[in-house]
Amino acid sequence: MYHSKITGLGYYVPDHVVTNDDLSKIIDTNDEWIQERTGIQERRHIIPGQDTTTSMGVKAATIAIERSGVAKEDIDFVVFATLSPDYYFPGPGVLVQRDLGLRTVGALDVRNQCSGFVYALSVADQYIKTGMYKNVLVIGSEVQSTGLDMTTRGRGVSVIFGDGAGAAVLSREEDVTKGILSTHLHSEGLHAEELIVKAPGMGGRWVTDILEDKNPDDESYFPYMNGQFVFKHAVVRFAEVINEGLEANNLKVDDIDMLIPHQANLRISQFIQKKFGLKDEQVHNNVMKFGNTTAASIPIALTEAWEQGKIKSGDTVVLAAFGSGFTWASAIIKW
Ligand code: COA
């Protein structure tokens, strides 16, 4: 058995900054409401035609690969997490294989929303552990902005989300005291409809149904979120899955050097920080400037924390996520 370790990290966000004041010009909202509830000050939106989920993923991956020192020819597999693929099918994994000019390696798409990156990391980790692959490229990327209801009707959701991408190269580590120590994945489909984009779906309404109906009140193709319900579950599941990871490795809260929570909402991160008694420098948050970028949020935050020198060799790093599904997950990493 091997371990896997992160050998390269990268992120990319579009240049176009959308502040809370910008949003308040098109929908009935305001900076105070958004900051008080979520901590978000601004987020990035793509310029349509300039960036896509895949192109941002490719940009983040290019940086991660360069930093890893792994040659493109030596990437053995791609795992791509997103809820906002360029096409309904095929998924963006194969587009990354094409656009990065990789060998005809396998490419897998993961659809676990805000937990997507940790799920993707877990998948990559298993392949490396068993010895099947040596280097796996893991990407989380999202274009949320083009799918949001940018009217007052959608304000409870639309102010929260942003666009961006993050990537990691996972490579074989012979020393099993280092790298990814364990990952922990959960789901509770009972609450699938509490945070959802319902249409288009083969099981419900397809595009032709939506076009035929011409119903201006149809919200089925916009994200729906039962905000308070999601919040209540998030704080419980985050804590559970962090504790599960610590216990699995005989670690204590004191052993955490850096917690990278999925950047859903600053209030959720602060709640977790307080619950675990962590200091500010032990938790990295950037939701203030990027909003919630779903599957991209953890790799963007992880890259940023690493770039800022907040993660050093030997550190215990904890990743934790919760989101639509519901799904939740954690990863415990010895850097
Ligand atoms: N600007 C101004 N007012 C807004 C608004 C906005 N962007 N969005 C909603 N409101 C209004 C509502 O219409 C409502 O008005 P009313 O009382 O007159 O009906 C009021 O604000 C309160 O709405 P509510 O939805 O109850 O707010 P909240 O305190 O629950 O905050 C969230 C909403 C979304 C910020 C909060 O529920 C949350 O953070 N949930 C977790 C979301 C999350 O993290 N999701 C991602 C998980 S991966």
Side-chain angles (χ1 to χ4, degrees), residues 29 33 37 114 155-156 159 225 227-228 262 264-265 268 292 322:
T29 188
W33 191 98
R37 303 288 208 295
C114 298
R155 66 183 179 173
V159 302
M225 178 171 71
Q228 289 183 15
H262 161 56
N265 178 327
I268 294 178
N292 179 345
F322 174 88

Side-chain angles (χ1 to χ4, degrees), residues 139-160:
I139 301 174
S141 179
E142 305 285 2
V143 172
Q144 309 274 9
S145 57
T146 54
L148 297 170
D149 180 0
M150 283 298 189
T151 68
T152 297
R153 183 179 68 176
R155 66 183 179 173
V157 175
S158 303
V159 302
I160 292 171

Side-chain angles (χ1 to χ4, degrees), residues 7-278:
T7 49
L9 284 167
Y11 82 89
Y12 170 84
V13 289
D15 293 335
H16 180 43
V17 175
V18 179
T19 65
N20 293 343
D21 286 340
D22 292 334
L23 290 178
S24 70
K25 287 178 193 132
I26 48 171
I27 57 184
D28 181 10
T29 188
N30 58 78
D31 180 54
E32 198 192 345
W33 191 98
I34 300 172
Q35 284 215 48
E36 193 184 302
R37 303 288 208 295
T38 70
I40 299 167
Q41 297 163 10
E42 57 187 46
R43 73 289 289 143
R44 305 296 176 97
H45 283 181
I46 60 150
I47 308 282
Q50 278 184 18
D51 268 319
T52 67
T53 293
T54 301
S55 75
M56 292 196 299
V58 165
K59 286 175 187 166
T62 302
I63 299 167
I65 292 171
E66 201 180 300
R67 287 173 170 171
S68 71
V70 172
K72 267 196 311 193
E73 303 71 50
D74 293 329
I75 299 288
D76 301 315
F77 195 63
V78 177
V79 192
F80 199 123
T82 190
L83 62 67
S84 51
D86 296 12
Y87 306 135
Y88 193 82
F89 73 81
V94 297
L95 306 180
V96 166
Q97 181 276 328
R98 178 189 68 191
D99 295 350
L100 278 176
L102 304 179
R103 289 180 292 117
T104 55
V105 297
L108 179 73
D109 299 295
V110 164
R111 297 205 42 178
N112 288 87
Q113 296 67 248
C114 298
S115 308
F117 186 80
V118 184
Y119 265 73
L121 203 70
S122 177
V123 170
D125 180 45
Q126 309 315 308
Y127 281 124
I128 291 179
K129 265 186 181 154
T130 58
M132 182 160 170
Y133 297 132
K134 252 186 169 171
N135 300 298
V136 181
L137 175 61
V138 185
I139 301 174
S141 179
E142 305 285 2
V143 172
Q144 309 274 9
S145 57
T146 54
L148 297 170
D149 180 0
M150 283 298 189
T151 68
T152 297
R153 183 179 68 176
R155 66 183 179 173
V157 175
S158 303
V159 302
I160 292 171
F161 293 97
D163 302 341
V169 175
L170 234 65
S171 303
R172 181 186 289 179
E173 167 65 64
E174 312 261 345
D175 180 349
V176 294
T177 64
K178 288 188 186 155
I180 296 181
L181 302 182
S182 63
T183 54
H184 308 270
L185 312 179
H186 293 278
S187 73
E188 191 176 23
L190 177 66
H191 305 309
E193 283 79 18
E194 303 297 347
L195 179 47
I196 187 170
V197 175
K198 273 196 178 148
M202 305 297 186
R205 303 180 68 232
W206 186 238
V207 181
T208 41
D209 300 311
I210 295 167
L211 292 173
E212 257 169 41
D213 286 356
K214 287 194 188 115
N215 176 4
D217 297 325
D218 186 2
E219 297 177 57
S220 64
Y221 46 87
F222 290 124
Y224 164 79
M225 178 171 71
N226 183 348
Q228 289 183 15
F229 189 81
V230 171
F231 195 106
K232 280 181 199 147
H233 282 255
V235 290
V236 172
R237 298 307 194 184
F238 264 111
E240 268 178 22
V241 83
I242 293 169
N243 277 326
E244 183 183 349
L246 292 175
E247 278 164 28
N249 295 285
N250 291 318
L251 294 169
K252 298 183 297 297
V253 173
D254 287 353
D255 296 315
I256 299 176
D257 295 297
M258 176 56 68
L259 169 66
I260 310 277
H262 161 56
Q263 298 295 293
N265 178 327
L266 191 60
R267 306 295 159 240
I268 294 178
S269 291
Q270 287 168 335
F271 186 94
I272 302 302
Q273 177 177 344
K274 203 168 160 204
K275 192 171 172 73
F276 284 91
L278 298 171

Side-chain angles (χ1 to χ4, degrees), residues 285-296:
N285 290 307
N286 61 13
V287 70
M288 304 76 90
K289 50 182 187 170
F290 297 137
N292 179 345
T293 57
T294 314

